[in-house]
Amino acid sequence: MRPGRQLAVLGLIFVVLYLLVFFSGGASGGWKDRLEPRLGLDLIGGTRLTLEATNSLDGKPPTRDNLEEARQIIESRVNAYGVAEAEVVTEGDRNIVISLPGENRDLTDVGSAAELRFRKVLKATDGSGATAAPAPAPTATPQPSGSATPQPSGSAAAQPSGSAAPKASASPAAGGQGGGAPAPSANPTPVASPSAPAATPSASAAPVPQGIEEQRKAVEQKVGAAAWAAASGLQAPADLTADPSLAEKLKPFGTLTPQEVAVLAPEMQFNVPTISCAQLDKRPAASIKDPKQQAVACEGGAAKYLLDVAKVEGTDVKDASAQLDQTSSWVVSLKFTGDGQNKWTELTRESFQNKGNGCDQSALGQGGNCRVAVVLDNNIVSSPEIQGVLTGDSQITGSFTSKDANDLASQLRYGALPVTFVPQEQQNVTATLGDSHLRAGLLAMGIGLALVIVYSFFYYRLLGSVIFLSLILSALLVFGALVFLGRQIGFTLTLAGIAGMIVSLGVAADSFVIYFERLKDEIREGRSPRSAVPRAWIRARRTIISANAITLMSAVVLYIVSVGVVKGFAFALGLATVLDLVVVFLFRHPIMTMFARTRAFLSPRVSGLGRALPARSAEPATTRNPRAKEA
């Protein structure tokens, strides 16, 4: 064989690996900083967040299956941050505890339900809580792009002007048939005008859960019978300037908490002008969870919308990704499922044609078409005007940063949570205990490595240098791989991972013993040391591969079936085992072939083959080879 080739390949692997360590994406700072692996929660501390789950507004605890499903989705969202070794565990029958390496991490978004709904905007009115309730008449100036595949985009941000009438402003880039956000109009049209159609029956006509009904009765008692009767009789947003006595009656609704507002019927939330967007925006999670009921939500903090039932949901989305559009703004691109695409096309056709005049004049865009609100949980992300029947994918636009767009895409990609959560406690976790454990783990690894090396030199002498150099090379490969994988896939080194690498020392030592003892057997059988080296390699190679394959399979199985830090142990053990095989084939056998050509290798005192070589030399020349004697 030509050992120089194998050694050259190994050298090339080292050069490529450490070039990636020092110069790949994510490498920054000084040389020392670039050599630092990503450490886990138990070594550097991190952030811990407790989420309390509730299945609905009635406060009932979630089922065990729903809680476990939510835990798995949250774990996927956390791992999508590019950080491994995150701990996501259930605690009791309501709580999920998230622990993530790195202090001051913002984990509040991972517990959001991410219930995506596409709802047609039926009506719009002032949501500032003012005494008058004129409705903004949104307009827009679309800029057609001539694109063959139109995509709706746009965002409306309603802002109150000097008068009581809020104005909406936006500057979207609409597709060829796509959307355009509403813009201000000089002549707002009051929703309470006689020509305004009455609200479509919705949630109030649907059966109300007993828990919600009890809370509504409590709200009725709080605001008083007169205020409740006045609110129940409204068929459209009231103009309180025309009836000061009505303004006084409805005033108690402005004192309700967001939790109390959430249990009211959608028509009451929309028609009562003293219920403001400040109250609606702070409603508990899952306040508008039911897709089969109409809902009320705000956009921009001042424009209050009555929304139709959800005809396209998050489950109709096949994939979501964060992208930069033509204006270098971050958007979330959506790909629908086959059935979801049909629903989306039908919704855009219905909105574009305004079938049955379902959209009030206040909800129409400049082109006279309905708008479709993209509703995430309780919030409206955007409400573009539909300017054509869309048969392709879509986009969610808004004032997104890169992080916001990627977080939203991750939430939509992994699906909505079956349970709603309220963040209870977020705190930083120190690594005081981890520091002492790290020192103890590194000390144990150093002692184990030292004992292996001392024993190797004592028992194998010159061959012990092969063991020493092999372990050093394996350690450098493992370290470089840990640093690189930490940046690329978020692998973090924990105490369990260090334990896996310590165990791998024993696996590596076994392969040395198998090879060297096989070499001694070959020499005892009558072969010269130089010819015994390749022969021993052929016979030991299969055993070494089998032993490492068993260890590797054990690590893979453990990684698949385990959770938490045990995955780190399995990953580190498997990685060290694979790299040990690389060193065996590209260093240990070639270097042994080179040693076999030296005089020192033939010396019993130097080579470590003392018991084999003297036994061979003491025999008569005619009997050194048993096969020759028999012949």
Side-chain angles (χ1 to χ4, degrees):
M1 66 171 298
R2 298 180 180 179
R5 293 183 178 180
Q6 284 88 339
L7 294 176
V9 172
L10 181 62
L12 180 61
I13 291 176
F14 267 94
V15 171
V16 172
L17 176 60
Y18 276 88
L19 283 176
L20 293 174
V21 168
F22 285 107
F23 302 107
S24 65
S28 60
W31 299 108
K32 183 179 179 182
D33 297 332
R34 300 186 183 198
L35 286 173
E36 290 183 357
R38 187 188 295 266
L39 300 180
L41 181 70
D42 53 355
L43 299 181
I44 62 170
T47 303
R48 178 170 294 152
L49 172 67
T50 301
L51 301 173
E52 184 179 4
T54 176
N55 221 20
S56 61
L57 293 176
D58 57 12
K60 293 182 179 179
T63 64
R64 180 176 301 179
D65 291 341
N66 285 345
L67 194 62
E68 174 59 22
E69 181 182 354
R71 188 200 67 78
Q72 294 177 1
I73 294 176
I74 290 176
E75 185 174 33
S76 298
R77 291 179 181 177
V78 172
N79 290 335
Y81 285 171
V83 180
E85 302 297 340
E87 297 180 6
V88 183
V89 298
T90 57
E91 185 178 79
D93 62 348
R94 280 184 179 269
N95 295 340
I96 289 182
V97 180
I98 307 168
S99 301
L100 194 64
E103 295 183 357
N104 300 320
R105 301 295 296 265
D106 185 8
L107 300 178
T108 53
D109 289 340
V110 299
S112 61
E115 295 274 5
L116 182 66
R117 304 283 190 260
F118 292 85
R119 297 175 179 266
K120 187 167 60 175
V121 180
L122 301 179
K123 290 184 178 184
T125 189
D126 178 19
S128 62
T131 56
T139 61
T141 305
Q143 300 174 357
S145 63
S147 172
T149 305
Q151 296 180 339
S153 62
S155 61
Q159 300 176 349
S161 64
S163 62
K167 298 181 180 180
S169 62
S171 55
Q177 297 177 349
S185 172
N187 300 313
T189 303
V191 174
S193 62
S195 59
T200 306
S202 62
S204 60
V208 180
Q210 183 176 0
I212 301 298
E213 185 63 33
E214 293 176 354
Q215 294 180 59
R216 286 184 181 177
K217 291 181 179 178
V219 173
E220 181 179 356
Q221 294 178 356
K222 180 177 180 178
V223 300
W228 187 265
S232 300
L234 294 176
Q235 298 298 318
D239 185 357
L240 301 183
T241 58
D243 188 354
S245 62
L246 181 60
E248 188 64 26
K249 291 179 181 178
L250 298 178
K251 187 176 180 180
F253 282 94
T255 63
L256 296 179
T257 65
Q259 173 69 35
E260 293 169 334
V261 170
V263 301
L264 301 177
E267 295 92 340
M268 188 174 292
Q269 295 178 20
F270 182 75
N271 292 333
V272 176
T274 53
I275 296 179
S276 66
C277 286
Q279 296 166 292
L280 294 170
D281 287 342
K282 296 180 181 180
R283 287 173 295 179
S287 295
I288 54 177
K289 184 180 180 68
D290 193 348
K292 297 181 180 180
Q293 294 186 2
Q294 292 182 356
V296 175
C298 291
E299 184 177 22
K304 184 164 60 172
Y305 298 154
L306 176 64
L307 306 175
D308 196 8
V309 298
K311 297 184 179 179
V312 181
E313 304 179 39
T315 53
D316 297 316
V317 176
K318 181 180 181 181
D319 191 19
S321 60
Q323 298 177 353
L324 284 171
D325 63 7
Q326 296 178 351
T327 62
S328 298
S329 300
W330 282 99
V331 298
V332 178
S333 180
L334 303 179
K335 292 185 178 180
F336 293 101
T337 62
D339 186 53
Q341 184 63 65
N342 295 334
K343 293 180 181 178
W344 172 243
T345 300
E346 181 59 31
L347 176 59
T348 58
R349 178 180 292 109
E350 177 183 331
S351 302
F352 178 63
Q353 299 174 355
N354 194 10
K355 292 184 178 180
N357 294 323
C359 300
D360 184 83
Q361 182 67 30
S362 62
L364 299 180
Q366 183 187 24
N369 306 316
C370 296
R371 288 182 289 153
V372 171
V374 182
V375 185
L376 185 68
D377 296 335
N378 294 342
N379 302 315
I380 296 177
V381 179
S382 62
S383 59
E385 178 187 4
I386 302 301
Q387 297 179 330
V389 179
L390 304 180
T391 58
D393 298 332
S394 183
Q395 290 179 343
I396 300 177
T397 64
S399 301
F400 292 132
T401 63
S402 174
K403 180 181 181 301
D404 294 338
N406 281 281
D407 289 350
L408 176 56
S410 173
Q411 292 171 349
L412 300 180
R413 189 182 308 120
Y414 295 111
L417 297 179
V419 181
T420 55
F421 291 93
V422 177
Q424 294 297 314
E425 179 184 19
Q426 178 167 325
Q427 59 184 355
N428 290 327
V429 181
T430 62
T432 304
L433 185 61
D435 289 339
S436 61
H437 286 180
L438 176 60
R439 289 192 293 269
L442 295 177
L443 179 62
M445 179 184 292
I447 293 174
L449 181 61
L451 290 176
V452 170
I453 292 174
V454 169
Y455 177 80
S456 300
F457 278 109
F458 175 77
Y459 192 76
Y460 290 113
R461 301 182 185 180
L462 179 63
L463 299 181
S465 63
V466 179
I467 300 176
F468 174 75
L469 292 175
S470 296
L471 292 178
I472 294 298
L473 292 176
S474 295
L476 291 175
L477 281 177
V478 171
F479 179 78
L482 289 178
V483 175
F484 177 70
L485 294 177
R487 295 178 190 149
Q488 299 303 315
I489 65 173
F491 174 76
T492 55
L493 181 62
T494 61
L495 292 174
I498 294 176
M501 288 186 286
I502 294 175
V503 172
S504 70
L505 289 177
V507 177
D510 287 343
S511 62
F512 285 110
V513 173
I514 293 171
Y515 184 21
F516 293 159
E517 293 303 318
R518 183 68 256 179
L519 177 62
K520 289 183 178 181
D521 290 342
E522 292 295 332
I523 294 176
R524 290 191 185 99
E525 290 181 5
R527 291 181 174 81
S528 66
R530 182 172 298 180
S531 63
V533 168
R535 182 68 179 176
W537 167 250
I538 293 174
R539 293 192 172 185
R541 178 176 57 193
R542 184 177 300 175
T543 305
I544 293 174
I545 294 176
S546 299
N548 281 272
I550 292 174
T551 303
L552 183 60
M553 287 189 294
S554 301
V556 171
V557 172
L558 186 60
Y559 183 84
I560 294 174
V561 302
S562 63
V563 295
V565 295
V566 182
K567 282 183 176 289
F569 170 84
F571 187 90
L573 177 60
L575 178 64
T577 302
V578 171
L579 295 180
D580 176 63
L581 282 174
V582 172
V583 173
V584 165
F585 280 86
L586 298 181
F587 177 78
R588 191 178 309 169
H589 177 44
I591 204 69
M592 285 295 297
T593 302
M594 296 177 67
F595 278 175
R597 300 172 182 174
T598 63
R599 289 186 178 182
F601 192 76
L602 300 177
S603 171
R605 294 183 178 181
V606 177
S607 65
L609 302 173
R611 295 184 180 181
L613 290 175
R616 176 179 177 274
S617 61
E619 296 177 2
T622 57
T623 61
R624 288 179 182 176
N625 192 333
R627 299 177 182 175
K629 181 178 179 181
E630 293 176 0

PDB file of all heavy atoms in Angstrom, residues 539-554:
ATOM      1  N   ARG A 539      -7.435  -8.914   9.074  1.00  0.00           N
ATOM      2  CA  ARG A 539      -8.230  -9.722  10.002  1.00  0.00           C
ATOM      3  C   ARG A 539      -8.895  -8.883  11.093  1.00  0.00           C
ATOM      4  O   ARG A 539      -9.981  -9.229  11.544  1.00  0.00           O
ATOM      5  CB  ARG A 539      -7.335 -10.778  10.648  1.00  0.00           C
ATOM      6  CG  ARG A 539      -6.837 -11.825   9.656  1.00  0.00           C
ATOM      7  CD  ARG A 539      -6.202 -12.987  10.376  1.00  0.00           C
ATOM      8  NE  ARG A 539      -5.886 -14.075   9.445  1.00  0.00           N
ATOM      9  CZ  ARG A 539      -5.415 -15.259   9.831  1.00  0.00           C
ATOM     10  NH1 ARG A 539      -5.208 -15.509  11.114  1.00  0.00           N
ATOM     11  NH2 ARG A 539      -5.143 -16.198   8.948  1.00  0.00           N
ATOM     12  N   ALA A 540      -8.245  -7.806  11.497  1.00  0.00           N
ATOM     13  CA  ALA A 540      -8.813  -6.995  12.582  1.00  0.00           C
ATOM     14  C   ALA A 540      -9.827  -5.984  12.074  1.00  0.00           C
ATOM     15  O   ALA A 540     -10.693  -5.531  12.828  1.00  0.00           O
ATOM     16  CB  ALA A 540      -7.698  -6.274  13.327  1.00  0.00           C
ATOM     17  N   ARG A 541      -9.701  -5.626  10.789  1.00  0.00           N
ATOM     18  CA  ARG A 541     -10.544  -4.574  10.245  1.00  0.00           C
ATOM     19  C   ARG A 541     -12.028  -4.888  10.390  1.00  0.00           C
ATOM     20  O   ARG A 541     -12.830  -4.041  10.809  1.00  0.00           O
ATOM     21  CB  ARG A 541     -10.193  -4.358   8.772  1.00  0.00           C
ATOM     22  CG  ARG A 541     -11.038  -3.305   8.075  1.00  0.00           C
ATOM     23  CD  ARG A 541     -10.523  -3.116   6.658  1.00  0.00           C
ATOM     24  NE  ARG A 541     -10.547  -4.388   5.926  1.00  0.00           N
ATOM     25  CZ  ARG A 541      -9.930  -4.570   4.761  1.00  0.00           C
ATOM     26  NH1 ARG A 541      -9.235  -3.586   4.215  1.00  0.00           N
ATOM     27  NH2 ARG A 541      -9.997  -5.746   4.149  1.00  0.00           N
ATOM     28  N   ARG A 542     -12.417  -6.105  10.069  1.00  0.00           N
ATOM     29  CA  ARG A 542     -13.821  -6.476  10.141  1.00  0.00           C
ATOM     30  C   ARG A 542     -14.347  -6.399  11.563  1.00  0.00           C
ATOM     31  O   ARG A 542     -15.459  -5.929  11.819  1.00  0.00           O
ATOM     32  CB  ARG A 542     -14.009  -7.882   9.578  1.00  0.00           C
ATOM     33  CG  ARG A 542     -15.456  -8.327   9.530  1.00  0.00           C
ATOM     34  CD  ARG A 542     -15.572  -9.714   8.897  1.00  0.00           C
ATOM     35  NE  ARG A 542     -15.041  -9.706   7.530  1.00  0.00           N
ATOM     36  CZ  ARG A 542     -14.931 -10.809   6.780  1.00  0.00           C
ATOM     37  NH1 ARG A 542     -15.277 -11.992   7.278  1.00  0.00           N
ATOM     38  NH2 ARG A 542     -14.459 -10.717   5.558  1.00  0.00           N
ATOM     39  N   THR A 543     -13.512  -6.854  12.504  1.00  0.00           N
ATOM     40  CA  THR A 543     -13.934  -6.804  13.911  1.00  0.00           C
ATOM     41  C   THR A 543     -14.080  -5.366  14.394  1.00  0.00           C
ATOM     42  O   THR A 543     -15.026  -5.020  15.114  1.00  0.00           O
ATOM     43  CB  THR A 543     -12.920  -7.549  14.789  1.00  0.00           C
ATOM     44  OG1 THR A 543     -12.764  -8.877  14.300  1.00  0.00           O
ATOM     45  CG2 THR A 543     -13.403  -7.599  16.230  1.00  0.00           C
ATOM     46  N   ILE A 544     -13.127  -4.499  13.991  1.00  0.00           N
ATOM     47  CA  ILE A 544     -13.188  -3.090  14.398  1.00  0.00           C
ATOM     48  C   ILE A 544     -14.436  -2.423  13.834  1.00  0.00           C
ATOM     49  O   ILE A 544     -15.150  -1.690  14.539  1.00  0.00           O
ATOM     50  CB  ILE A 544     -11.915  -2.358  13.931  1.00  0.00           C
ATOM     51  CG1 ILE A 544     -10.700  -2.880  14.684  1.00  0.00           C
ATOM     52  CG2 ILE A 544     -12.070  -0.851  14.138  1.00  0.00           C
ATOM     53  CD1 ILE A 544      -9.379  -2.318  14.174  1.00  0.00           C
ATOM     54  N   ILE A 545     -14.719  -2.681  12.557  1.00  0.00           N
ATOM     55  CA  ILE A 545     -15.909  -2.083  11.939  1.00  0.00           C
ATOM     56  C   ILE A 545     -17.175  -2.579  12.622  1.00  0.00           C
ATOM     57  O   ILE A 545     -18.102  -1.798  12.899  1.00  0.00           O
ATOM     58  CB  ILE A 545     -15.934  -2.400  10.434  1.00  0.00           C
ATOM     59  CG1 ILE A 545     -14.771  -1.704   9.726  1.00  0.00           C
ATOM     60  CG2 ILE A 545     -17.257  -1.967   9.825  1.00  0.00           C
ATOM     61  CD1 ILE A 545     -14.664  -2.039   8.261  1.00  0.00           C
ATOM     62  N   SER A 546     -17.237  -3.872  12.915  1.00  0.00           N
ATOM     63  CA  SER A 546     -18.435  -4.437  13.565  1.00  0.00           C
ATOM     64  C   SER A 546     -18.652  -3.819  14.934  1.00  0.00           C
ATOM     65  O   SER A 546     -19.777  -3.450  15.304  1.00  0.00           O
ATOM     66  CB  SER A 546     -18.302  -5.959  13.677  1.00  0.00           C
ATOM     67  OG  SER A 546     -18.177  -6.551  12.402  1.00  0.00           O
ATOM     68  N   ALA A 547     -17.557  -3.684  15.721  1.00  0.00           N
ATOM     69  CA  ALA A 547     -17.688  -3.123  17.074  1.00  0.00           C
ATOM     70  C   ALA A 547     -18.144  -1.675  17.023  1.00  0.00           C
ATOM     71  O   ALA A 547     -19.032  -1.252  17.779  1.00  0.00           O
ATOM     72  CB  ALA A 547     -16.357  -3.241  17.803  1.00  0.00           C
ATOM     73  N   ASN A 548     -17.548  -0.888  16.115  1.00  0.00           N
ATOM     74  CA  ASN A 548     -17.949   0.517  16.002  1.00  0.00           C
ATOM     75  C   ASN A 548     -19.353   0.652  15.431  1.00  0.00           C
ATOM     76  O   ASN A 548     -20.085   1.584  15.795  1.00  0.00           O
ATOM     77  CB  ASN A 548     -16.956   1.267  15.127  1.00  0.00           C
ATOM     78  CG  ASN A 548     -15.689   1.644  15.862  1.00  0.00           C
ATOM     79  OD1 ASN A 548     -15.590   2.682  16.488  1.00  0.00           O
ATOM     80  ND2 ASN A 548     -14.697   0.754  15.798  1.00  0.00           N
ATOM     81  N   ALA A 549     -19.745  -0.246  14.521  1.00  0.00           N
ATOM     82  CA  ALA A 549     -21.090  -0.192  13.955  1.00  0.00           C
ATOM     83  C   ALA A 549     -22.142  -0.441  15.023  1.00  0.00           C
ATOM     84  O   ALA A 549     -23.201   0.203  15.045  1.00  0.00           O
ATOM     85  CB  ALA A 549     -21.224  -1.211  12.829  1.00  0.00           C
ATOM     86  N   ILE A 550     -21.862  -1.370  15.936  1.00  0.00           N
ATOM     87  CA  ILE A 550     -22.809  -1.645  17.017  1.00  0.00           C
ATOM     88  C   ILE A 550     -22.946  -0.414  17.916  1.00  0.00           C
ATOM     89  O   ILE A 550     -24.057  -0.015  18.309  1.00  0.00           O
ATOM     90  CB  ILE A 550     -22.351  -2.873  17.822  1.00  0.00           C
ATOM     91  CG1 ILE A 550     -22.474  -4.131  16.954  1.00  0.00           C
ATOM     92  CG2 ILE A 550     -23.180  -3.022  19.097  1.00  0.00           C
ATOM     93  CD1 ILE A 550     -21.910  -5.372  17.603  1.00  0.00           C
ATOM     94  N   THR A 551     -21.815   0.203  18.247  1.00  0.00           N
ATOM     95  CA  THR A 551     -21.871   1.421  19.068  1.00  0.00           C
ATOM     96  C   THR A 551     -22.628   2.528  18.344  1.00  0.00           C
ATOM     97  O   THR A 551     -23.433   3.246  18.953  1.00  0.00           O
ATOM     98  CB  THR A 551     -20.439   1.891  19.391  1.00  0.00           C
ATOM     99  OG1 THR A 551     -19.733   0.839  20.052  1.00  0.00           O
ATOM    100  CG2 THR A 551     -20.470   3.122  20.274  1.00  0.00           C
ATOM    101  N   LEU A 552     -22.381   2.663  17.052  1.00  0.00           N
ATOM    102  CA  LEU A 552     -23.047   3.707  16.284  1.00  0.00           C
ATOM    103  C   LEU A 552     -24.552   3.462  16.202  1.00  0.00           C
ATOM    104  O   LEU A 552     -25.350   4.403  16.353  1.00  0.00           O
ATOM    105  CB  LEU A 552     -22.449   3.770  14.878  1.00  0.00           C
ATOM    106  CG  LEU A 552     -22.982   4.875  13.961  1.00  0.00           C
ATOM    107  CD1 LEU A 552     -22.733   6.241  14.573  1.00  0.00           C
ATOM    108  CD2 LEU A 552     -22.337   4.787  12.581  1.00  0.00           C
ATOM    109  N   MET A 553     -24.965   2.209  15.973  1.00  0.00           N
ATOM    110  CA  MET A 553     -26.392   1.897  15.932  1.00  0.00           C
ATOM    111  C   MET A 553     -27.053   2.172  17.277  1.00  0.00           C
ATOM    112  O   MET A 553     -28.179   2.679  17.343  1.00  0.00           O
ATOM    113  CB  MET A 553     -26.604   0.451  15.504  1.00  0.00           C
ATOM    114  CG  MET A 553     -26.343   0.201  14.025  1.00  0.00           C
ATOM    115  SD  MET A 553     -26.844  -1.446  13.477  1.00  0.00           S
ATOM    116  CE  MET A 553     -25.680  -2.453  14.394  1.00  0.00           C
ATOM    117  N   SER A 554     -26.353   1.848  18.354  1.00  0.00           N
ATOM    118  CA  SER A 554     -26.899   2.135  19.687  1.00  0.00           C
ATOM    119  C   SER A 554     -27.101   3.630  19.880  1.00  0.00           C
ATOM    120  O   SER A 554     -28.116   4.069  20.425  1.00  0.00           O
ATOM    121  CB  SER A 554     -25.960   1.579  20.764  1.00  0.00           C
ATOM    122  OG  SER A 554     -25.781   0.187  20.627  1.00  0.00           O
TER     123      SER A 554
END
